Amino acid sequence: MLGPLEHPLGHRRFAALAAAAGATLAALLPAPSAAAAPRPPAWTGTWATAQHASYDPGASEVTVRIPVHVSAGGTSVRIRLTNEFTDQPVTIGHATVGRRANGSSVSGPRDLTFGGKEFVTIPAHGQAASDGVRIPVAARSDLVVSLYFPGRLTHVSQHWMGLQTVYWTPDGGGDHAGDAAGTAFTRTDSTFPFLTGVDVRGGTARGSVVALGDSITDGAASTSDANRRWPDYLAARLSACTSTAGVLNEGISGNRITAGTDGNPSALDRLERDVLSQPGARTVILFEGVNDLSWGGATGDQVIDGMKEIARRAHTRGLLVIGATVVPYRGWGDHWTEAKEADRQKVNAFVRDGGVFDGYADFDKAVRDPGDPTRYAAAFDSGDHLHPNDSGMKAFADAVDLTGLRVAHDCPSARVRFGPYRPSLPAGHATEITATVTNSGPKAVTRVTTGLRLPHGWTAAAEGPTRARSLVPGGSSTVTWRVTPCADTRWGPYTIGVATSFRQEGRTRRDTDTVTADVVPVPSAVKPPYRTFATADAAQYAQNGGRFAIWAGGQDLAGWKDEKAAIHVPDAVPGSGSVTARLVEQTGSGPSAKAGIAVANDLTAPDKGGYAVLTMSRSYGVEFMTDSDGDGKLDTWAGGGSSYHPAWLRLTRDGTAYTAYASADGTTWQRIGTATVPSAAAGGLDAGMVASAVNLDHPGQTTTAVFDSFSTTH
């Protein structure tokens, strides 16, 4: 005979009694606290990119190191990976994440796991997310993700326009994911492999904003390795709010709403993957349509229908949708027509007034030329008349109403912006720099103060007051300074900053902006042992320590018309020796303008023999020319290829045999050619740097050549 606990019916009765007793006991006990039963906070996207192609790297046993600039901060991190655009699995044998130190080095890389395992195999067309790891992450800081691929890496799924240096070990380099130092990473490119997202939790972010766009959102024409895409600037604005938000860049160059390709799915086709499934996504900014209208063959109505479908699907999933107007593009190739402009205006009228979007950002108004609204304003145009420069990217971010995004609260109302874009500052001379503070909030701000941050030793004189009592909504205040770099400032790029503080609803708030300013040479004397000589018109020179500049006109630098300007050293190259210089940049005149190095028995009189030049043509590549018969005219030629800067140029001499080399990095050299120059003297040759405008077809124009090193060896 079975006892009550052994009989099936008795067992069920006991379970019922136990459940009732448990319920009674639970009613008598206090509810469990959150601390006793913690619920992990949700993940929020802080960085993302849209994978859209793949390639075969032809590599084995390699590690890649990927720097990412996050938008929102947190206390824990995870990564997301994709293998979507391939038909084979990929194995990641070791993955780490850590805060970036500098370059390819990492501060305290932490191992990542995938379901508790150190490795993960992602199937073809599949995705994977790591487990979370505790790392304090500051908003708008750099993390580094490292991935090791054991065995043969058959393919790389990528986002190709990274605008970010990504570091690889050489083929066979092995597992260096856990290295703090970056010395093992000797190869670079600028695509994002496999990594599709970085998420955080434990911070102040209350969701994320997804920027769905094309090459403009992707950052085309913005400064590489500088995080100056418009979503980066939007993230900077949001990070100053009391409660912040992540910003996810889902731009793909060439993307369209109405059509796609195998390597570039349409905005409609990728909406689920790149927007709706993003962790913590609250709002999407739709900034597409220019490719559809300009070269994609779509009508305005077709673009509008696509926008409506995107908005409908996003609203169904609970996301707000902000529409962005289509930017002007007249002058971009031959894509613009009156009919296409009418379609653009129709689409923009729908974005502004169609009643479908939850708000709009008027990117068109932000960058168009008031005198010709079919074109970019010059201050915002990168030069191709479609993609904005860094200032244009800021203008887009500033056109977004932060309140309308509904993901951040208590944001600063005023912002400050520098101008002009990438100013040129002559060393030792004053140049006007302007900062404008604009109040985009609904209430006045007061006690507005603006000041500059300059490199050590530079001076600035304000041409008016740097303070304003108040700014009404929509109001602005402009301050102009005359900024002077030191006379001995090394030529090249420098970061200068502006900061403003103001009172907003009883609190002091701040905003900042930076620009890259180029300190440029101004004509000056050169110091011994250097000398100057010119047969070209408009010749001028400058020296700044070991840097040199030459301004020159001249119809040609060839046999029929040897017109050039030179900075040279007499008797610098002996019977066996070399001369090397690095040409940093050359600007001005036509595509044949030349700059480089030259040798001769007497550079002021090439007809005395030994004459040879090695130059970079501004547009047509390296040119090695020599005088074969001693008459002072260059009559042999070797070279060609593409033009590049900076360019290392080297001429070696062994008696009458001259050999020319060129290099893009000063380490790997390409032999351009070897020539015999019978008239070369047995003793030393003059050696120097030369430039010619080659302006036969560009009368009166000059070229500017800048060198940052020059040396001779015995």
Side-chain angles (χ1 to χ4, degrees):
M1 183 176 182
L2 297 173
L5 298 183
E6 296 173 294
H7 196 285
L9 293 177
H11 179 79
R12 288 197 295 271
R13 182 171 177 272
F14 176 81
L17 291 171
T24 303
L25 182 62
L28 297 174
L29 294 175
S33 67
R39 181 179 180 181
W43 291 103
T44 294
T46 187
W47 179 92
T49 195
Q51 299 280 336
H52 61 99
S54 67
Y55 69 96
D56 183 349
S60 299
E61 293 288 333
V62 291
T63 306
V64 64
R65 183 153 278 182
I66 312 163
V68 297
H69 189 67
V70 303
S71 52
T75 58
S76 297
V77 178
R78 75 173 183 182
I79 67 170
R80 288 178 284 121
L81 305 167
T82 189
N83 193 28
E84 180 172 354
F85 288 91
T86 65
D87 57 5
Q88 299 178 59
V90 64
T91 295
I92 295 165
H94 185 195
T96 65
V97 64
R99 291 185 293 272
R100 190 177 191 181
N102 54 70
S104 57
S105 61
V106 184
S107 175
R110 299 285 303 278
D111 290 338
L112 290 170
T113 57
F114 299 83
K117 298 179 180 179
E118 292 184 356
F119 67 92
V120 63
T121 296
I122 310 175
H125 316 299
Q127 293 83 36
S130 76
D131 304 321
V133 59
R134 288 190 63 82
I135 297 179
V137 179
R140 300 176 61 218
S141 64
D142 286 350
L143 292 177
V144 176
V145 175
S146 300
L147 307 173
Y148 161 60
F149 305 96
R152 171 78 161 87
L153 181 58
T154 60
H155 61 275
V156 171
S157 181
Q158 65 167 344
H159 177 90
W160 75 266
M161 188 187 287
L163 293 175
Q164 170 68 59
T165 300
V166 172
Y167 304 90
W168 289 83
T169 61
D171 187 24
D175 181 5
H176 292 277
D179 293 5
T183 53
F185 298 86
T186 58
R187 297 188 299 122
T188 62
D189 65 20
S190 58
T191 68
F192 292 123
F194 295 104
L195 185 66
T196 192
V198 178
D199 307 328
V200 293
R201 64 185 178 192
T204 61
R206 295 297 178 263
S208 60
V209 178
V210 185
L212 180 62
D214 49 38
S215 59
I216 300 177
T217 297
D218 214 2
S222 68
T223 302
S224 296
D225 285 317
N227 304 302
R228 294 179 181 174
R229 313 163 189 87
W230 73 261
D232 295 319
Y233 287 118
L234 178 61
R237 291 189 63 201
L238 286 168
S239 69
C241 304
T242 299
S243 64
T244 62
V247 178
L248 307 181
N249 188 332
E250 296 291 351
I252 300 178
S253 180
N255 202 234
R256 290 175 284 168
I257 294 174
T258 58
T261 65
D262 288 343
N264 198 334
S266 73
L268 283 163
D269 288 340
R270 66 190 183 95
L271 184 66
E272 175 67 34
R273 181 197 73 177
D274 291 342
V275 177
L276 304 182
S277 64
Q278 291 295 329
R282 298 271 302 279
T283 302
V284 57
I285 301 176
L286 174 61
F287 182 28
E288 297 226 30
V290 70
N291 291 325
D292 301 82
L293 297 174
S294 62
W295 55 266
T299 66
D301 286 335
Q302 289 171 325
V303 172
I304 289 169
D305 287 344
M307 288 181 165
K308 288 179 178 178
E309 177 64 13
I310 289 172
R312 184 194 66 78
R313 288 171 57 189
H315 284 149
T316 299
R317 298 286 284 274
L319 273 69
L320 293 174
V321 186
I322 305 299
T325 50
V326 181
V327 294
Y329 62 90
R330 188 172 188 175
W332 181 51
D334 58 358
H335 297 295
W336 186 90
T337 66
E338 292 281 0
K340 292 177 181 179
E341 177 64 19
D343 272 336
R344 186 177 77 90
Q345 295 298 341
K346 184 175 187 177
V347 171
N348 285 351
F350 164 76
V351 171
R352 295 181 182 111
D353 305 314
V356 169
F357 296 118
D358 301 292
Y360 71 90
D362 206 338
F363 287 0
D364 168 43
K365 181 180 179 181
V367 298
R368 70 192 182 205
D369 183 347
D372 183 357
T374 65
R375 299 179 183 271
Y376 265 82
F380 303 129
D381 192 349
S382 69
D384 69 5
H385 312 304
L386 172 67
H387 301 97
N389 57 28
D390 293 353
S391 291
M393 293 289 184
K394 294 175 190 175
F396 288 155
D398 288 347
V400 177
D401 175 16
L402 300 187
T403 303
L405 299 177
R406 302 185 200 173
V407 289
H409 303 285
D410 188 24
C411 302
S413 293
R415 59 190 182 276
V416 62
R417 290 293 179 250
F418 251 145
Y421 165 71
R422 192 124 196 183
S424 292
L425 308 181
H429 293 255
T431 302
E432 285 193 352
I433 300 291
T434 298
T436 301
V437 182
T438 303
N439 179 15
S440 58
K443 298 180 180 180
V445 297
T446 60
R447 302 183 194 175
V448 183
T449 302
T450 309
L452 294 182
R453 298 194 303 269
L454 301 173
H456 179 71
W458 292 25
T459 61
E463 296 188 340
T466 59
R467 301 184 178 212
R469 285 188 177 181
S470 65
L471 287 178
V472 299
S476 62
S477 173
T478 298
V479 182
T480 299
W481 290 269
R482 293 184 62 80
V483 176
T484 306
C486 303
D488 60 353
T489 300
R490 184 178 174 86
W491 306 330
Y494 291 83
T495 298
I496 59 176
V498 64
T500 188
S501 65
F502 53 92
R503 296 285 289 178
Q504 175 184 331
E505 296 183 337
R507 293 177 54 196
T508 298
R509 308 298 290 266
R510 294 175 174 82
D511 190 43
T512 62
D513 191 21
T514 60
V515 295
T516 298
D518 292 308
V519 175
V520 297
V522 293
S524 63
V526 300
K527 300 175 182 178
Y530 296 99
R531 301 180 184 179
T532 61
F533 171 78
T535 52
D537 56 349
Q540 293 180 296
Y541 314 92
Q543 182 179 0
N544 181 280
R547 295 168 66 89
F548 303 87
I550 301 174
W551 293 262
Q555 295 184 70
D556 206 346
L557 179 54
W560 80 283
K561 188 74 71 168
D562 183 28
E563 295 184 343
K564 63 182 180 294
I567 299 174
H568 66 103
V569 179
D571 300 324
V573 179
S576 178
S578 67
V579 56
T580 305
R582 191 173 89 136
L583 176 64
V584 179
E585 62 180 42
Q586 56 188 120
T587 56
S589 192
S592 297
K594 296 175 174 59
I597 53 179
V599 296
N601 295 344
D602 182 348
L603 270 178
T604 68
D607 56 353
K608 293 183 179 180
Y611 187 32
V613 300
L614 175 62
T615 65
M616 181 66 75
S617 169
R618 206 189 80 182
S619 298
Y620 300 137
V622 182
E623 298 187 68
F624 174 41
M625 296 176 283
T626 62
D627 172 13
S628 67
D629 56 14
D631 66 354
K633 296 181 179 179
L634 299 168
D635 52 25
T636 69
W637 184 93
S642 60
S643 180
Y644 55 88
H645 299 86
W648 290 88
L649 302 172
R650 175 175 293 166
L651 272 173
T652 66
R653 176 201 182 191
D654 186 4
T656 59
Y658 293 2
T659 304
Y661 302 89
S663 173
D665 59 10
T667 301
T668 304
W669 293 86
Q670 175 190 6
R671 189 176 71 85
I672 306 303
T674 297
T676 299
V677 184
S679 58
L685 299 179
D686 290 2
M689 297 157 281
V690 297
S692 174
V694 191
N695 63 11
L696 179 65
D697 297 323
H698 305 270
Q701 294 192 16
T702 62
T703 191
T704 303
V706 178
F707 301 82
D708 69 354
S709 69
F710 177 82
S711 62
T712 59
T713 61
H714 293 71

